Amino acid sequence: MSDNQAIFVSLKQFFVTAGIVEKVNIPNRFSVWYDKKFDLELMLPDEKLVDHEQSESLLTEVIEKLAVARDFDVERFRFRLLNCSSDFLRVRSSGERIPHGRINFSEGLEALNGLYGIIKSSADRNIRSKGKRKAISNYLAGVNMLAPQAGSFIYNVELKLQDETEREESSSLESDFSLSRYVNANLAIALSRVSKKIKLDDTNSPSKLLSVGIDNKFCTDFLGLFSCNSDKIEFNFDWSFKEELPDNVPNKVEFDYSDRKKIEKFKKLLSSIRTEKYVDLPAYIEKYSWPIEDEKGRVYLRLSIDGKDFTCYIETDSELYETLKAEHAKKQVSITCDILVTAGKKTSIDILKLYSIRLNQNLEIELDT
């Protein structure tokens, strides 16, 4: 397929996603399209003439009009149209201590390993279809490293989308998107969630960190990618027009040096934790709490582990909250759960995952949390 043909096909796909409609069609000559959002008329050559020498100027004009209206970089937009079968991730590391377009080799290698680790972990978390190991392997086979570009320092990653055959093979994924697009989008969402958590909540709770995907491996990979010589790191996603994009998927996520320092602190904190599973662990309901502004209620439990008493809480929806509240405080129940133990001067515990609550011999509430 020629460049003109690839751009023509991608523009037609972009028109569909952007709601750009055809107004005029002159067979074997050209068609005129209307972009209502930006009040633009766009002329495309007929598909049979797309490789004609005069067609390139028409396609270039369409690209420039669309890019200017939407505040796209023209060359990046053209690149996305030419490579519509992939999403692209550009990671830009910048700082006064980084020479223009140059980075220490060992730092660069560590950064690439860190970036690959973040991508691989995202695939492992988000792929839950049958044959998970093969699905992850197929996804990673489409992750390619592109040549670095000039700039403070930029890593380019191609994240190939699945073709129709591959989509059919992974149809067990309950989603309107291909497995590749689903994983790519969730990578962006996860990075955005981590960024917001770091900036808004300087938490020291390991369970809260783990709940947003900040575990020891993420910290190691992130610190490898974010060189100590960098002041800022940016994740820029260029999404293909070949598929729809899930809602609330960011195009850009940023971290600054203060975020890096927090990740260093989180890594140290997470190095002192361990997880243990308990089945039918005795627990006493201590109290109930539901602050007005919160979406979930809290039920506080007293647990006895290794001869020591600990108090922690579980978050519940309204139905479970009312069910447990009806049992009254001080009532003994039993729970099956994963307990997060944080060692230190004073050992603390959190309920990381709750599988079930047994209220009595005949009633057990199973939870999907």
Side-chain angles (χ1 to χ4, degrees), residues 64-274:
E64 290 175 349
K65 281 185 175 181
L66 291 171
V68 170
R70 288 166 168 77
D71 197 27
F72 292 163
D73 178 88
V74 175
E75 289 307 313
R76 288 301 305 174
F77 185 43
R78 178 182 170 83
F79 177 83
R80 291 162 69 187
L81 293 169
L82 278 170
N83 298 274
C84 68
S85 294
S86 300
D87 294 327
F88 290 89
L89 166 60
R90 290 176 295 136
V91 182
R92 179 175 183 267
S93 180
S94 60
E96 293 181 356
R97 290 161 293 176
I98 298 180
H100 183 76
R102 182 179 295 125
I103 194 170
N104 178 268
F105 196 98
S106 63
E107 286 185 13
L109 183 59
E110 188 174 2
L112 287 173
N113 285 331
L115 178 56
Y116 183 71
I118 290 171
I119 294 171
K120 186 176 180 180
S121 293
S122 174
D124 185 57
R125 282 194 305 272
N126 290 291
I127 296 177
R128 300 185 179 89
S129 58
K130 186 177 180 181
K132 175 174 178 174
R133 182 177 297 180
K134 181 180 179 181
I136 292 175
S137 178
N138 290 340
Y139 171 78
L140 293 176
V143 176
N144 301 309
M145 181 177 67
L146 305 182
Q149 293 179 334
S152 296
F153 204 80
I154 300 176
Y155 304 95
N156 284 298
V157 182
E158 179 186 35
L159 306 166
K160 291 190 71 67
L161 299 175
Q162 293 174 304
D163 59 29
E164 290 300 320
T165 302
E166 292 170 321
R167 290 193 67 167
E168 291 175 3
E169 291 176 353
S170 61
S171 59
S172 58
L173 180 69
E174 296 182 2
S175 171
D176 295 329
F177 316 100
S178 70
L179 183 142
S180 298
R181 170 52 65 86
Y182 178 81
V183 175
N184 299 343
N186 275 281
L187 170 60
I189 291 170
L191 288 169
S192 178
R193 187 167 56 236
V194 168
S195 176
K196 291 175 182 177
K197 185 68 174 178
I198 293 173
K199 288 174 170 56
L200 298 179
D201 186 8
D202 189 14
T203 179
N204 283 325
S205 168
S207 61
K208 288 184 178 180
L209 295 176
L210 294 174
S211 70
V212 295
I214 304 177
D215 57 15
N216 197 59
K217 186 177 187 309
F218 173 83
C219 292
T220 298
D221 291 334
F222 182 89
L223 293 173
L225 175 59
F226 196 151
S227 165
C228 59
N229 287 323
S230 300
D231 297 324
K232 183 172 71 172
I233 196 163
E234 304 168 11
F235 294 84
N236 295 281
F237 291 87
D238 287 334
W239 302 108
S240 167
F241 310 120
K242 189 176 182 180
E243 291 187 40
E244 293 286 336
L245 194 65
D247 295 334
N248 303 316
V249 177
N251 296 322
K252 184 176 182 178
V253 182
E254 296 182 347
F255 296 90
D256 59 30
Y257 196 74
S258 64
D259 298 329
R260 188 187 193 282
K261 298 299 290 184
K262 288 180 183 178
I263 292 290
E264 286 181 340
K265 185 176 68 174
F266 295 158
K267 179 175 172 59
K268 184 176 180 181
L269 175 66
L270 292 168
S271 66
S272 62
I273 66 171
R274 70 179 191 276

Side-chain angles (χ1 to χ4, degrees), residues 47-65:
E47 186 172 6
K48 296 177 182 177
L49 302 176
V50 75
D51 283 324
H52 189 277
E53 60 183 15
Q54 294 181 340
S55 293
E56 185 171 351
S57 61
L58 285 178
L59 295 172
T60 298
E61 183 179 350
V62 171
I63 291 171
E64 290 175 349
K65 281 185 175 181

Side-chain angles (χ1 to χ4, degrees), residues 295-354:
E295 296 181 356
K296 292 187 176 183
R298 292 183 177 184
V299 178
Y300 290 81
L301 304 173
R302 176 165 55 86
L303 312 176
S304 181
I305 299 176
D306 298 332
K308 295 181 180 180
D309 287 343
F310 299 91
T311 298
C312 56
Y313 66 85
I314 57 173
E315 291 187 326
T316 67
D317 58 22
S318 57
E319 182 179 358
L320 181 58
Y321 185 83
E322 293 301 328
T323 299
L324 295 179
K325 196 171 183 180
E327 296 296 319
H328 306 296
K330 309 303 179 185
K331 167 71 183 290
Q332 180 178 343
V333 296
S334 61
I335 59 176
T336 296
C337 60
D338 290 335
I339 296 287
L340 186 68
V341 182
T342 305
K345 292 181 179 179
K346 185 178 179 181
T347 300
S348 63
I349 69 165
D350 292 288
I351 297 177
L352 184 60
K353 183 176 179 64
L354 184 63

